[in-house]
Amino acid sequence: MRRFLLRHALLPDGWHDDVLVSVDAAGLITKATPQNSDATATLLDGPVLPGMPNLHSHAFQRAMAGLAERSGPAAGDSFWTWRETMYRFASRLTPEDVEAIAGQLYAEMLEAGFTAVAEFHYLHHQPGGTPYADPAELSRRILAAADTAGIGLTHLPVLYRYGGFGAKEPQERQRRFLHDAEAYARLLQALTPQLQNRSDRRLGMAPHSLRAVTPELLRDGIAALDAIDSAAPIHIHIAEQTAEVDDCMAWSGKRPVQWLLDQGIVNKRWCLVHATHLDAEETQRLAASNAVAGLCPTTEANLGDGIFPAVDYMAASGRIGIGSDSHISVSVAEDLRLLEYGQRLIRRSRTVLAGGPERSTGRRLFEAALKGGAQALGQPMGAIAPGHRADFVLLDSDAPSLAGRRGDMALDAWIFSHQTRSAIRDVYVAGHHVVENGRHIRSEDLAAKHRQALRRLLQE
Ligand code: NGQ
Ligand code: ZN
């Protein structure tokens, strides 16, 4: 049993001082009582937030962040030309590369205040498409990276079989991603032992998109998951680009989110990643489904996706979470800020997502993303309260941007007043200290391995 004394902490009912927290051997909080003292407890002396879930990640893409910013030979660079660059990059990665990139990324996520990640993992096979001797090789590399970094992980092996709506055959470059229903069920089974019985691990599934599966394959994949855990998370990319909406209309006569909602299967297990292009009816129906909209504002901006109707969706009590997706940026604060700024820019207005008069925009967004993120990851996190994991993010009250600020003012300052030097000082996951004075405890070792992998990759 460990004890922490949090000087100033955000609890589910608001800010409190001197919160004494007891943590059991599994890393779960058993008690959290304000206005307490204990000279032997570990003191976290400043504003303490619950760790944020990162609900969408393709770890390998971190290593190509910034490499797709040079314009191509023809006018009209887009999501789809970026995707070609990404496929080329993905085709060269070895298992060692995948682990080195993910290890570095996960350490950076922790330094940024994310204490768990949903890894939407689709790089499964060797270049060319032959499975590795262990078909779960690359998933195991992700698990190893998460263990080394000490981050919570919801592992989402991706079900991918087709190259477009209507069972279109995949491209050559997509071969590393592909499974049929049987091979996919075996992969889930093989990964189950390592992802069970830990408060910081969860297995789920990710049909890549409606482009990558047929209705039958989607059904079979879910059945394979249900046989293991009928409450496990299900994530899918959806309606990120208008071309997908058009293709879905041509295939089914329905928009992607409309089509999926019409299947009658979407519930709180689901995370609809992006869901950028929603009409008014889809917005209301998605909110009512209790699924989470997985928003990735920095990636969506980088890829030119469009802007999610967050005001109407959140007004309808729609659930959201945030993900760093392609990792063009790895920052809780930046993704929340950009989510708000997108809405401000189209509405020519301010404090748009604060949710009512006299409220903190940062607090509303932070709490919504904690709650939705925890639901999407299917992990006991997102609150400093009994039954939740002891994931703490200590802000540096000496940072210039936080000087003299407490409570919601500190949270707003951290999210909106960006300073180059991170204002995050210490991070704990399940009671374990993983970031100390702004640096991950293994940052040097992880950075060295990452540097080595990247030098080799980019020289080849
Ligand atoms: C992905 N990324 O799977 O990495 C996708 C691009 C696709 C995002 N959607 C590929 N941000 O959607 O086909
Ligand atoms: Zn994605």
Side-chain angles (χ1 to χ4, degrees):
M1 189 67 98
R2 292 198 55 191
R3 285 186 318 281
F4 295 85
L5 187 65
L6 317 182
R7 191 61 88 201
H8 185 53
L10 182 60
L11 305 190
D13 67 345
W15 290 93
H16 290 274
D17 290 336
D18 301 316
V19 182
L20 184 63
V21 179
S22 305
V23 178
D24 69 15
L28 297 175
I29 296 171
T30 56
K31 254 207 259 169
T33 34
Q35 308 296 347
N36 229 304
S37 65
D38 182 340
T40 65
T42 304
L43 176 66
L44 272 54
D45 198 3
V48 180
L49 304 167
M52 179 62 72
N54 187 332
L55 58 58
H56 193 63
S57 165
H58 308 288
F60 76 87
Q61 290 177 12
R62 177 59 170 169
M64 63 164 282
L67 295 181
E69 304 305 325
R70 190 182 163 83
S71 56
D77 271 315
S78 68
F79 175 93
W80 307 102
T81 57
W82 169 85
R83 193 173 78 157
E84 287 306 314
T85 307
M86 186 270 281
Y87 284 172
R88 267 199 305 281
F89 189 78
S91 72
R92 294 162 44 209
L93 298 169
T94 66
E96 291 72 26
D97 296 336
V98 169
E99 186 173 341
I101 294 165
Q104 169 67 21
L105 170 68
Y106 293 164
E108 288 178 51
M109 280 186 190
L110 288 162
E111 289 175 356
F114 289 115
T115 57
V117 56
E119 183 62 38
F120 198 107
H121 174 76
Y122 61 86
L123 203 57
H124 297 295
H125 310 307
Q126 300 182 52
T130 309
Y132 287 98
D134 172 3
E137 171 76 35
L138 293 180
S139 284
R140 295 196 200 286
R141 297 291 183 155
I142 294 291
L143 267 60
D147 275 329
T148 307
I151 197 168
L153 176 72
T154 292
H155 189 57
L156 305 166
V158 169
L159 178 57
Y160 202 126
R161 169 65 187 85
Y162 300 100
F165 287 98
K168 193 160 161 240
E169 276 313 308
Q171 305 171 28
E172 188 62 33
R173 287 207 173 110
Q174 294 168 328
R175 290 197 185 284
R176 292 190 83 171
F177 318 155
L178 309 179
H179 283 104
D180 60 24
E182 291 72 34
Y184 184 73
R186 283 196 300 275
L187 177 65
L188 291 182
Q189 289 289 347
L191 288 167
T192 299
Q194 272 183 285
L195 289 153
Q196 266 178 338
N197 307 322
R198 267 176 70 167
S199 76
D200 59 350
R201 293 287 178 270
R202 189 86 192 247
L203 178 70
M205 81 171 290
H208 179 276
S209 53
L210 295 178
R211 291 170 274 133
V213 295
T214 55
E216 301 70 45
L217 185 57
L218 179 62
R219 199 190 48 223
D220 291 348
I222 294 172
L225 180 69
D226 284 352
I228 295 166
D229 176 355
S230 61
I234 304 170
H235 291 213
I236 187 168
H237 288 131
I238 198 156
E240 179 180 11
Q241 284 279 318
T242 51
E244 175 178 311
V245 178
D246 297 343
D247 290 354
C248 189
M249 288 288 292
W251 168 67
S252 68
K254 293 179 180 180
R255 303 165 56 84
V257 171
Q258 179 190 19
W259 186 89
L260 188 63
L261 290 170
D262 283 351
Q263 304 308 299
I265 53 178
V266 175
N267 56 24
K268 65 184 188 351
R269 292 172 76 182
W270 285 74
C271 176
L272 275 62
V273 181
H274 309 300
T276 310
H277 300 287
L278 300 177
D279 66 19
E281 194 185 327
E282 288 173 312
T283 305
Q284 298 302 317
R285 288 181 68 197
L286 181 57
S289 75
N290 294 330
V292 174
L295 308 180
C296 309
T298 53
T299 291
E300 290 155 8
N302 184 266
L303 297 180
D305 291 338
I307 294 188
F308 178 82
V311 173
D312 294 343
Y313 178 76
M314 289 179 78
S317 303
R319 302 174 187 202
I320 63 147
I322 53 164
S324 56
D325 189 355
S326 69
H327 315 300
I328 191 68
S329 163
V330 180
S331 165
V332 173
E334 193 182 1
D335 264 320
L336 293 177
R337 188 190 322 131
L338 189 57
L339 171 56
E340 166 73 14
Y341 282 179
Q343 307 295 312
R344 287 187 191 186
L345 288 164
I346 44 177
R347 294 185 172 243
R348 290 181 235 147
S349 179
R350 298 191 72 254
T351 64
V352 177
L353 295 172
E358 310 278 336
R359 291 172 61 180
S360 152
T361 307
R363 170 90 174 268
R364 167 106 185 291
L365 290 173
F366 191 82
E367 288 188 329
L370 278 178
K371 217 169 168 208
Q375 176 181 318
L377 267 65
Q379 293 192 26
M381 65 182 300
I384 300 174
H388 293 76
R389 202 167 59 226
D391 290 9
F392 308 130
V393 174
L394 172 65
L395 299 182
D396 180 2
S397 37
D398 291 337
S401 62
L402 297 186
R405 293 155 165 92
R406 282 170 55 81
D408 289 348
M409 278 164 76
L411 192 49
D412 279 332
W414 174 55
I415 293 170
F416 290 98
S417 167
H418 171 75
Q419 57 169 43
T420 305
R421 196 168 172 279
S422 169
I424 292 178
R425 218 174 72 189
D426 288 77
V427 178
Y428 292 79
V429 177
H432 297 292
H433 205 172
V434 290
V435 172
E436 232 177 294
N437 270 318
R439 296 302 300 274
H440 188 272
I441 51 168
R442 301 205 169 99
S443 58
E444 277 173 29
D445 184 40
L446 288 167
K449 292 202 171 89
H450 176 257
R451 213 176 294 122
Q452 204 185 5
L454 265 287
R455 286 198 175 133
R456 192 193 57 74
L457 262 169
L458 298 182
Q459 264 156 29
E460 265 174 12

